[in-house]
Amino acid sequence: MQLVIFIVLAIITTVAGIIMVSADNIARSIYSHVLALLGIAGIYILLYAEFMAGVQVLVYAGGVSIMLLFALMLTKPAKGVIRALDHPRRAPAFITSIVLFGLLSFSIAYARWPLQAEPSRIMTPEVIGREMFVKYVLPFEIVSVILLVALIGAVVIGGREKQDTDNEEKEKS
């Protein structure tokens, strides 16, 4: 029964991911993103990682997707400029994804997987917090810095596009 549920969730997640990257409408892409994240949360539940499933739903499916929808609603496209969502570099992207898929498939096929499952630990939020801030504090801080740099970059790029839009409106009037 678990295998059937896993296959259904994997199909839902994969189809939603394909729709997400190929949709012409960005709102449809965001909704597909939510569906893909919910499918991943379902897979976490199948793996007895309920905490990760909760974080997946609250942070990613909830918070990040709502932020994307607000960004979509609050930004105005530049007048007279129609940007296509379709990128001319599809062929290199497709080749790169095929190569990456091959490398991952090769790594998974030839990896030495343990034949016996490790004894499961009870992962409470307290245990996860202790592991994150004691054992994995350096990766946690690196991710924090990367997210901060991405946020600053988004603000700089957004500010630059707003200045360009304002300058175009002044030139027209």
Side-chain angles (χ1 to χ4, degrees), residues 18-122:
I18 290 170
I19 292 171
M20 179 179 65
V21 297
S22 64
D24 290 336
N25 185 338
I26 196 163
R28 184 175 298 146
S29 179
I30 292 171
Y31 293 130
S32 297
H33 180 244
V34 171
L35 185 61
L37 293 175
L38 290 176
I40 292 171
I43 292 173
Y44 281 141
I45 290 173
L46 279 179
L47 295 172
Y48 301 107
E50 294 88 4
F51 181 78
M52 288 301 296
V55 169
Q56 180 81 12
V57 169
L58 289 176
V59 174
Y60 293 106
V64 172
S65 298
I66 294 297
M67 182 186 70
L68 289 173
L69 283 173
F70 272 114
L72 175 66
M73 290 187 298
L74 296 176
T75 56
K76 291 190 301 188
K79 292 181 180 174
V81 177
I82 299 173
R83 293 185 181 169
L85 293 176
D86 197 15
H87 204 277
R89 295 184 184 155
R90 272 188 166 188
F94 181 74
I95 292 169
T96 303
S97 65
I98 293 297
V99 169
L100 184 62
F101 178 76
L103 287 173
L104 288 173
S105 298
F106 179 78
S107 299
I108 291 171
Y110 291 103
R112 293 184 182 184
W113 299 101
L115 297 177
Q116 293 181 343
E118 295 181 13
S120 65
R121 297 184 308 175
I122 297 174

Side-chain angles (χ1 to χ4, degrees), residues 136-148:
Y136 299 106
V137 68
L138 184 61
F140 180 77
E141 292 299 328
I142 290 172
V143 168
S144 301
V145 170
I146 290 171
L147 288 174
L148 179 65

